[in-house]
Amino acid sequence: MRRPVARVIPGIVLLALGGGLAQLLAGTVVPINELIVAVGLGALLANTVGTPAWAKSGIATHKLWLETGIVLMGARIAIGQLFSVGPALLVFVVGFLTISLVIGEAIARNVFRINERLGSLLAAGYAVCGVSAIVAVSGSVRAKSEQIAYAVATILLFDAATLAVYPIIGRRLELPDIVFGTWAGVSMVSTGPVVAAGFAYSPQAGEWATVTKLGRNVFIGVVAVLYAVYYARQRDTGQAGGASWRYLWEEFPKFVIGFLAMAGIASLGLLSSDDVALLTSGYQGLFLVAFVGLGMEIDLRKMRSVGIKPVLVVFSSLLVVSLLSLLASMLLFG
């Protein structure tokens, strides 16, 4: 046990130092939200001096810190508030997840005519939760390693782009917090950038963006199973390889359960105001650490190597879904 722990500590310390520096710079030097600064610092380090070999194991834990932070954030979410918009939010999430999948597949196959399996990876990656969805679906579609790498690089490109652009658009349009949060949560790509963009806009927008994005994440197992069934039938094997309840549970993002449990505990009045304040400070600190690691995943060289067609597929899907979901969010929640 000691060796694995010792191996991750240096990278975790580097993440923590980056988070502290981001907080310092955002408050004194750079007039930008500290989470955006944290992502920028991570990307700057990764694309200049590179990620130190001794820190890689620890830096890889940044997803754990993000998920833990989301669980703690549940203490600030009132279940009653969610129920008040629950049916509309559920329809909003499921509707646009379906629209995103259909549009992504249609554009990939009929407009740009790229490889069917690569198109499915891009559609699932955009519609559900980015790289995690690509990995989950890759086995179902029997994708080749280079197709997976291509899809991942494309998605990471749009993670970086939307993280920078969405808050700017939201402020120009003067969107209410709930409208921006639900719009970002349903039309951006990966969980990290969605949370970062939401909180860069406002704390309330960050909470709504996170809740909406978690709603999408829940369906990762369902989408993986559906793709497994489709491609298994296409191969005419009579086997829905991987399409089982066990597979669905394996792909389900478990931290969502922790988030809902924490929200339930808080809504029952089992946490004092001091407890909530402590947990709020905790998740804010964890987000800072996580977003430094998120930035260190941005590899500009890999992004430059991505061909134009996958980029155009995701860009076209993003453009259509973003416009439609913005209008729907303004009608439902504005």
Side-chain angles (χ1 to χ4, degrees), residues 33 35-36 163 166-167 171 177 180-182 184-185 188 191-210 291:
N33 180 273
L35 297 179
I36 305 296
L163 175 57
Y166 263 57
R171 296 194 189 286
D177 292 333
F180 180 85
T182 52
M188 287 179 65
T191 303
V194 169
V195 176
F199 279 95
Y201 194 76
S202 76
Q204 293 73 29
E207 291 169 7
W208 281 112
T210 304
F291 289 140

Side-chain angles (χ1 to χ4, degrees), residues 2-201:
R2 290 182 178 179
R3 287 185 178 180
V5 171
R7 196 160 54 238
V8 301
I9 286 176
I12 294 173
V13 171
L14 183 60
L15 293 178
L17 290 173
L21 180 59
Q23 191 172 35
L24 179 64
L25 291 175
T28 58
V29 179
V30 185
I32 302 175
N33 180 273
E34 60 190 20
L35 297 179
I36 305 296
V37 176
V39 174
L41 286 176
L44 179 64
L45 176 62
N47 290 279
T48 52
V49 300
T51 304
W54 50 264
K56 287 185 177 179
S57 295
I59 289 170
T61 65
H62 74 273
K63 292 181 180 178
L64 173 63
W65 308 130
L66 175 64
E67 293 172 357
T68 304
I70 289 173
V71 170
L72 297 184
M73 198 191 77
R76 286 197 45 159
I77 304 298
I79 294 294
Q81 183 186 26
L82 289 181
F83 284 162
S84 68
V85 295
L89 186 61
L90 179 61
V91 171
F92 183 66
V93 169
V94 174
F96 277 100
L97 187 149
T98 305
I99 289 170
S100 299
L101 271 177
V102 171
I103 287 176
E105 287 283 0
I107 290 175
R109 296 173 187 231
N110 301 320
V111 179
F112 296 104
R113 301 184 184 280
I114 66 173
N115 179 276
E116 184 180 42
R117 286 171 171 76
L118 176 58
S120 293
L121 293 181
L122 293 170
Y126 174 64
V128 188
C129 56
V131 174
S132 298
I134 291 171
V135 173
V137 169
S138 62
S140 302
V141 307
R142 303 287 181 90
K144 297 179 180 178
S145 57
E146 60 268 25
Q147 292 171 332
I148 298 172
Y150 227 53
V152 167
T154 304
I155 289 300
L156 291 177
L157 171 65
F158 283 95
D159 278 340
T162 53
L163 175 57
V165 171
Y166 263 57
I168 296 173
I169 295 175
R171 296 194 189 286
R172 288 287 179 90
L173 297 178
E174 299 182 349
L175 298 178
D177 292 333
I178 186 173
V179 171
F180 180 85
T182 52
W183 173 52
V186 84
S187 63
M188 287 179 65
V189 190
S190 303
T191 303
V194 169
V195 176
F199 279 95
Y201 194 76

Side-chain angles (χ1 to χ4, degrees), residues 112-304:
F112 296 104
R113 301 184 184 280
I114 66 173
N115 179 276
E116 184 180 42
R117 286 171 171 76
L118 176 58
S120 293
L121 293 181
L122 293 170
Y126 174 64
V128 188
C129 56
V131 174
S132 298
I134 291 171
V135 173
V137 169
S138 62
S140 302
V141 307
R142 303 287 181 90
K144 297 179 180 178
S145 57
E146 60 268 25
Q147 292 171 332
I148 298 172
Y150 227 53
V152 167
T154 304
I155 289 300
L156 291 177
L157 171 65
F158 283 95
D159 278 340
T162 53
L163 175 57
V165 171
Y166 263 57
I168 296 173
I169 295 175
R171 296 194 189 286
R172 288 287 179 90
L173 297 178
E174 299 182 349
L175 298 178
D177 292 333
I178 186 173
V179 171
F180 180 85
T182 52
W183 173 52
V186 84
S187 63
M188 287 179 65
V189 190
S190 303
T191 303
V194 169
V195 176
F199 279 95
Y201 194 76
S202 76
Q204 293 73 29
E207 291 169 7
W208 281 112
T210 304
V211 169
T212 306
K213 187 65 178 72
L214 293 185
R216 284 168 67 194
N217 292 357
V218 165
F219 290 93
I220 182 173
V222 176
V223 171
V225 169
L226 290 175
Y227 271 113
V229 172
Y230 172 78
Y231 277 92
R233 287 179 175 175
Q234 192 183 56
R235 291 191 298 270
D236 197 28
T237 62
Q239 302 266 343
S244 66
W245 285 107
R246 180 180 177 183
Y247 184 76
L248 188 149
W249 172 248
E250 287 174 352
E251 299 301 333
F252 185 86
K254 311 300 190 300
F255 66 93
V256 174
I257 298 174
F259 169 83
L260 293 173
M262 183 64 76
I265 290 170
S267 297
L268 290 172
L270 300 178
L271 298 175
S272 67
S273 57
D274 289 339
D275 293 333
V276 173
L278 180 62
L279 292 171
T280 298
S281 298
Y283 84 70
Q284 289 171 344
L286 288 171
F287 282 172
L288 269 175
V289 171
F291 289 140
V292 175
L294 176 67
M296 296 184 77
E297 285 192 342
I298 298 174
D299 189 330
L300 297 179
R301 288 172 298 180
K302 286 184 179 179
M303 289 181 180
R304 285 196 294 267

